[in-house]
Amino acid sequence: AQKVTQAQTEISVVEKEDVTLDCVYETRDTTYYLFWYKQPPSGELVFLIRRNSFDEQNEISGRYSWNFQKSTSSFNFTITASQVVDSAVYFCALSELGGYGNKLVFGAGTILRVKS
Amino acid sequence: DAGVIQSPRHEVTEMGQEVTLRCKPISGHNSLFWYRQTMMRGLELLIYFNNNVPIDDSGMPEDRFSAKMPNASFSTLKIQPSEPRDSAVYFCASSLARTGDYEQYFGPGTRLTVT
């Protein structure tokens, strides 16, 4: 069965520090998709990125970068030069394919607190 | 384009009352999901629909919960009778469910408090 583990329950950093959020997944599927979502204090869940299992290239978007390593079943998320507005709960998720294909399994989330 | 719309945003009700939560998915999306989020259990998938048909309702807690999707642009989640332990934030999400496009877009959530 699919499983997503976010071992870091809570991380606190000072503004401008870099921070990496870990995500480890388990799946028997050969094709799958990984996602990161952000849940700021206002409560909504915001989609950040999707990565498919065939594409192991790292991705960078502004201060955000993602490192996908199939060999270690990890999909880590790094925020460079963190800002207070990055304070949120971050969820990693894995697609459960088959049938209609797009059920997501979410990790427990990591609370990120960025202090000024 | 409008995102996923949920109503009401907040609902306070007394134990035993019926509660109906509503969701309008993003136009053109063919999959719709209902989630519940609590501190204790995190984000749980309750049920999901594909092309208006319920596919997996294994997450629905018990018979007090029911969900319908009468057409592609509307879904309801009903709790009858409600209990204090149903207090949570309920999210609706939709996706296109096309190969390579599996990300789900979430509504703002309905915060339900049952007293």
Side-chain angles (χ1 to χ4, degrees):
Chain A
Q2 264 83 346
K3 185 179 178 182
V4 175
T5 301
Q6 294 181 254
Q8 303 150 308
T9 305
E10 186 170 336
I11 302 174
S12 288
V13 298
V14 177
E15 215 172 11
K16 298 185 183 178
E17 283 186 28
D18 298 346
V19 58
T20 295
L21 310 181
D22 297 334
C23 173
V24 174
Y25 62 92
E26 296 175 27
T27 181
R28 292 183 181 175
D29 291 337
T30 53
T31 300
Y32 52 90
Y33 295 80
L34 294 158
F35 306 81
W36 277 95
Y37 283 82
K38 175 182 180 180
Q39 187 174 37
S42 52
E44 72 274 22
L45 277 147
V46 179
F47 164 69
L48 295 178
I49 189 172
R50 163 178 37 93
R51 177 58 91 213
N52 74 50
S53 54
F54 292 105
D55 183 0
E56 290 194 66
Q57 282 195 348
N58 291 336
E59 179 148 347
I60 298 175
S61 175
R63 297 183 298 104
Y64 294 173
S65 62
W66 290 269
N67 184 304
F68 175 33
Q69 292 198 338
K70 229 171 168 178
S71 59
T72 56
S73 297
S74 65
F75 185 42
N76 295 337
F77 173 28
T78 297
I79 301 174
T80 302
S82 60
Q83 301 176 2
V84 173
V85 292
D86 296 326
S87 297
V89 183
Y90 290 87
F91 293 94
C92 181
L94 168 68
S95 62
E96 204 174 277
L97 296 181
Y100 295 96
N102 63 335
K103 184 174 169 180
L104 296 186
V105 175
F106 283 85
T110 296
I111 300 170
L112 174 64
R113 302 190 197 279
V114 182
K115 301 175 184 176
S116 59
Chain B
D1 188 19
V4 175
I5 299 172
Q6 290 186 248
S7 64
R9 294 294 306 277
H10 301 274
E11 177 80 36
V12 180
T13 191
E14 291 183 349
M15 184 174 64
Q17 296 297 306
E18 177 180 295
V19 175
T20 300
L21 311 182
R22 297 173 176 79
C23 176
K24 177 179 169 56
I26 292 173
S27 177
H29 281 189
N30 59 357
S31 287
L32 183 139
F33 306 79
W34 281 102
Y35 290 88
R36 176 172 69 176
Q37 186 178 38
T38 60
M39 290 292 292
M40 291 298 295
R41 300 175 67 91
L43 199 58
E44 303 174 272
L45 176 66
L46 299 177
I47 184 171
Y48 83 94
F49 297 82
N50 193 73
N51 292 327
N52 312 337
V53 175
I55 302 301
D56 183 348
D57 66 354
S58 59
M60 295 286 261
E62 48 199 272
D63 292 345
R64 297 185 297 106
F65 285 69
S66 62
K68 293 183 180 179
M69 192 165 186
N71 57 61
S73 58
F74 184 65
S75 176
T76 59
L77 177 68
K78 186 177 292 187
I79 308 173
Q80 165 65 13
S82 57
E83 296 182 3
R85 59 189 167 128
D86 301 330
S87 297
V89 180
Y90 291 81
F91 288 102
C92 175
S94 70
S95 75
L96 190 51
R98 178 182 63 192
T99 301
D101 280 326
Y102 292 119
E103 59 267 27
Q104 296 175 19
Y105 293 90
F106 284 75
T110 295
R111 183 173 295 277
L112 173 65
T113 302
V114 184
T115 61

